[in-house]
Amino acid sequence: MAKGHCLSFTAPTISEDEVQKERESLTESERDEIQGDVWGTAAIVNESASFQSQALHEFDRVLELQNETSLHAYREAMSMAPDLVRQETSPLKFLRASGFDVENAVGRMLKYWEHRVELFGRDRAFLPLESELPIPAAEDNGTTAMSPQDWEFWNQKTIYILPQPDAHGRTIIFGDRSKWTGANRQSSLRCLFLTFHLASMSSMVQKYGVVIVMDTQKVTTADYCRKISRHIVRMCGESAPIRLRAWHACYADVKSQAMLLNSSILFMLGRNLRLRVLQHYGSPAELAWDLGQYGMAKAILPKQVGGENHDKF
């Protein structure tokens, strides 16, 4: 393990008691919002044409007030590929992802471009993310943001969007965390970034949000990397143009190595995301039953978590 990269036992952690105290300290409105996201009962914003127009006007006004440092990556993108910026990062997506909190939406879009440049590098960050998917790595000729190695990892389907939403209309993103190891770590982040991007293009996602189901049943301490985890947290909480309603972590049992490291990962998430994490333990059949309580039927879940869908998309 590379020193300074993988999760150490000296990393900050948070206990279950501390998480429970956070839940108890929530205001009634905060509690209602989190429960609505987790259980799929969150209110959907009614967007009239005038409401959208006003929100977009305010977005532009707030964007103009940002400092040069925060605008740097966005302005570079506008200079290099203005059509791409308009096509792939519509302000309306970020407004919806932020519940029409304009300050948050603007900050999220600027952080999106900072993160995109950081993950893909300036040689690829301003190339399109979208293409005919999947494509063989050998055919990549530098026309997309993804490298040949990234496409190779993408075609392994370790992170992908399930073909059907849950019972509440929320899109489900499924990931196999045990495959995000070694030389694949950077590609896994770029594939996650692409997955969030593709999800964000759907009007269903913009309206109802997404839930993540992460299979960690085969994860060991060697599979965890603090740097990678921080990137995932940044995407979920700060930069991706999606509204994450809930994160379902699936473990083989409470004594698994993945579970032993969980308190450190929860600490990184911060309160807002942390209280939207649901942890499930047991056999695949038990995991499927748990997930079913949140609107995810066995028919649409992958077999790894007890589902009946044996295909990868």
Side-chain angles (χ1 to χ4, degrees):
M1 299 182 187
K3 185 177 181 181
H5 286 272
C6 293
L7 191 63
S8 74
F9 292 103
T10 61
T13 61
I14 187 166
S15 68
E16 291 185 11
D17 287 343
E18 289 173 313
V19 174
Q20 181 58 34
K21 288 179 181 178
E22 286 185 330
R23 290 194 185 96
E24 293 170 355
S25 70
L26 293 171
T27 65
E28 184 176 355
S29 61
E30 289 173 333
R31 187 177 299 107
D32 289 345
E33 179 183 347
I34 291 173
Q35 289 182 346
D37 282 347
V38 168
W39 291 101
T41 59
I44 305 301
V45 176
N46 182 21
E47 302 174 26
S48 65
S50 61
F51 177 85
Q52 286 188 8
S53 177
Q54 183 178 354
L56 290 168
H57 177 77
E58 183 66 8
F59 184 99
D60 290 339
R61 185 190 71 81
V62 173
L63 181 61
E64 291 179 358
L65 299 176
Q66 304 306 300
N67 61 57
E68 290 299 317
T69 300
S70 61
L71 286 167
H72 180 74
Y74 169 73
R75 284 189 170 166
E76 185 175 9
M78 284 295 290
S79 174
M80 297 288 290
D83 291 340
L84 175 73
V85 173
R86 285 187 283 269
Q87 178 183 354
E88 294 193 352
T89 55
S90 160
L92 189 57
K93 290 200 303 184
F94 291 92
L95 284 164
R96 287 170 171 161
S98 304
F100 285 88
D101 179 331
V102 177
E103 294 279 355
N104 184 287
V106 170
R108 184 175 285 264
M109 187 187 72
L110 297 181
K111 289 174 182 175
Y112 168 95
W113 279 107
E114 290 175 3
H115 209 177
R116 183 161 168 166
V117 170
E118 186 176 344
L119 288 179
F120 292 91
R122 282 183 167 76
D123 56 334
R124 285 184 176 267
F126 309 120
L127 295 173
L129 279 170
E130 296 180 66
S131 69
E132 294 298 324
L133 299 171
I135 64 173
E139 294 182 10
D140 180 89
N141 58 4
T143 60
T144 72
M146 302 279 279
S147 71
Q149 183 181 355
D150 297 337
W151 285 123
E152 184 176 352
F153 188 75
W154 172 267
N155 287 332
Q156 295 178 30
K157 300 299 181 186
T158 63
I159 181 79
Y160 58 99
I161 301 169
L162 297 189
Q164 296 181 56
D166 70 8
H168 309 291
R170 302 173 300 183
T171 293
I172 306 168
I173 294 176
F174 178 80
D176 181 351
R177 185 65 180 80
S178 67
K179 302 292 179 62
W180 302 3
T181 60
N184 291 327
R185 282 175 173 154
Q186 286 301 119
S187 288
S188 70
L189 286 175
R190 290 190 279 267
C191 286
L192 181 60
F193 196 96
L194 174 59
T195 302
F196 283 161
H197 166 76
L198 294 173
S200 76
M201 303 303 289
S202 162
S203 58
M204 285 284 289
V205 169
Q206 293 179 31
K207 185 175 183 179
Y208 296 106
V210 305
V211 295
I212 293 176
V213 175
M214 191 63 66
D215 179 13
T216 62
Q217 295 175 87
K218 298 178 181 179
V219 170
T220 68
T221 52
D223 298 326
Y224 269 94
C225 177
R226 289 179 67 188
K227 183 177 180 181
I228 297 302
S229 296
R230 287 194 185 102
H231 276 293
I232 295 172
V233 170
R234 282 174 62 191
M235 262 186 265
C236 292
E238 298 179 5
S239 64
I242 60 168
R243 186 156 192 171
L244 178 61
R245 300 293 189 177
W247 179 298
H248 297 266
C250 299
Y251 304 96
D253 58 67
V254 295
K255 295 181 180 179
S256 68
Q257 292 190 54
M259 189 60 211
L260 292 174
L261 297 170
N262 187 58
S263 61
S264 217
I265 304 301
L266 284 176
F267 180 87
M268 292 184 200
L269 287 172
R271 192 186 79 158
N272 187 49
L273 286 179
R274 183 162 52 238
L275 296 182
R276 287 168 169 80
V277 173
L278 289 305
Q279 301 176 82
H280 311 282
Y281 322 97
S283 67
E286 290 171 320
L287 295 174
W289 188 90
D290 275 3
L291 294 170
Q293 306 310 299
Y294 297 90
M296 290 175 273
K298 288 177 66 174
I300 65 175
L301 289 171
K303 62 180 180 180
Q304 296 97 311
V305 290
E308 298 171 349
N309 185 349
H310 290 204
D311 295 320
K312 288 184 177 181
F313 297 85

